[in-house]
Amino acid sequence: MKWAVEKKIITGNGKGELDPKGTVDRQTMVVMLYRWADGKVADDTNILSYDDVFTAGDWAMEALQ
């Protein structure tokens, strides 16, 4: 986890806190993978095909696309 924090792959809950025992939902995992890949992706994805797209936070939209 220390490596991921240092690389800014994980940033916590927005209050500067990390919860290593917390759950990770899809939008959080997508954002972590996106940051790990350094924002380099091959194609845009039609995010409207995801059932839960309208429940995702604005902070996750770029990574979800």
Side-chain angles (χ1 to χ4, degrees):
M1 188 160 83
K2 182 179 176 183
W3 174 86
V5 171
E6 289 172 359
K7 299 293 183 183
K8 295 186 169 73
I9 294 169
I10 57 174
T11 58
N13 61 6
K15 298 176 186 174
E17 302 169 341
L18 297 174
D19 183 4
K21 294 182 180 181
T23 59
V24 177
D25 57 17
R26 179 170 41 173
Q27 66 182 351
T28 303
M29 180 57 73
V30 167
V31 169
M32 290 189 307
L33 290 170
Y34 181 74
R35 290 175 182 163
W36 173 76
D38 197 24
K40 297 177 179 92
V41 293
D43 307 311
D44 281 345
T45 300
N46 179 2
I47 63 172
L48 296 177
S49 65
Y50 300 140
D51 293 337
D52 59 350
V53 69
F54 296 108
T55 63
D58 291 340
W59 57 270
M61 286 300 163
E62 182 180 356
L64 285 167
Q65 290 176 342

